[in-house]
Amino acid sequence: MTLRAAVLGHPISHSKSPALHRAAYARLGVTMEYTAIDVTEDALPAFMAGVREDVRQGGSWRGLSVTMPLKTGMLKEVDEVRGVARALGVVNTVAVEPAMPGDSTGASRLVGYNTDVAGIVNALRHAGAASAPTAAVLGGGGTSAAALAALKELDAPAADIFVRDVSRAAEARAAAAAVGLPVRILPLGGAAAAVAGADVVISTLPPRAADPLAGDLEQLFRQRGSGSSLEAGRPGVLLDVAYDPWPSRIAAAWQEAGGTVVPGLEMLIYQAVEQVRHFTGLGDAMPDEVIDVMCDAVGAPRRVF
């Protein structure tokens, strides 16, 4: 039987997840079909009912990658939520796992995880981000929750969250409280100086949404000049989770000023590695070199995971 997995979201045609996953399964010799499926929030319950029926009958589904706008709605569609996903209330991975011991039905279960956190942490560490960094997060949506959890794991003492509307940051506040990270919610407008002064900046904004801030940063960096210290104009590490189009305007401004830029593709690769571990059931037994073929599939430099 050909096993099946997919990435769900709306829109979804731009997703690079199929290329990453297919490369991994080919390297592992696993017969797994992986596709991109456009699913809206309204259509999610019906779609998941079909997946659940397939799982109940011992069918082919093995996992789902979940992207916007479905990461919170998926909470209600799984049997269990584990790890940091439970604290954050955000699921980006659904794995089909064996029944719990003592379950008389013997039916497999749908288990929700969040691999975005590991994706962010590993991408930032690979880029040489400082430990216990001063930190800023741009945006207060679903991905910001994973960003805050990642900063907590990196031992950041606190974080500033810059949003377009400070009255609509409940999700980010809840995530910060869940992981125990002190935060300030601040307006995105006028944030250039504070953002430029942070050791680590994670932009969770949609494509082009950071362009106005990028313009302010370009002006600020020009005024500061091109010295070798942060005070002279050299920023820290920027992870921009948006990867299409690339480079984003804020990434280009950051790199031009001498800062380190981590493309969202890096985060996508690292979180996909964790998903492959779940979907195949290999866990830590999965060969490290699988990440090499995943990098090759999307034109990213190879690295040791």
Side-chain angles (χ1 to χ4, degrees), residues 88-275:
L88 298 179
V90 179
V91 169
N92 84 313
T93 302
V94 178
V96 178
E97 300 189 3
M100 296 290 286
D103 184 345
S104 60
T105 69
S108 295
R109 309 171 76 247
L110 299 178
V111 181
Y113 296 93
N114 188 305
T115 66
D116 283 339
V117 177
I120 294 171
V121 169
N122 288 322
L124 288 173
R125 284 178 174 163
H126 179 69
S131 59
T134 57
V137 175
L138 310 182
T143 307
S144 70
L148 294 167
L151 290 171
K152 178 68 174 180
E153 190 167 330
L154 291 169
D155 296 322
D160 288 336
I161 305 173
F162 295 95
V163 295
R164 288 172 285 186
D165 183 351
V166 295
S167 69
R168 301 181 63 185
E171 195 169 1
R173 288 185 190 275
V179 299
L181 183 68
V183 296
R184 296 188 300 173
I185 309 295
L186 302 167
L188 188 60
V195 169
D199 295 328
V200 170
V201 178
I202 304 174
S203 175
T204 68
L205 295 169
R208 299 185 177 86
D211 285 2
L213 175 60
D216 293 341
L217 286 168
E218 290 165 353
Q219 182 176 1
L220 177 64
F221 293 146
R222 283 195 298 267
Q223 291 171 348
R224 288 186 177 183
S226 56
S228 60
S229 67
L230 182 62
E231 290 75 18
R234 187 181 296 276
V237 177
L238 167 71
L239 166 59
D240 187 352
V241 303
Y243 58 83
D244 186 20
W246 189 262
S248 61
R249 184 176 176 184
I250 191 171
W254 203 265
Q255 190 163 22
E256 178 67 22
T260 300
V261 172
V262 184
L265 189 57
E266 293 280 316
M267 169 193 167
L268 185 70
I269 291 169
Y270 282 116
Q271 66 83 30
V273 167
E274 300 304 313
Q275 291 181 335

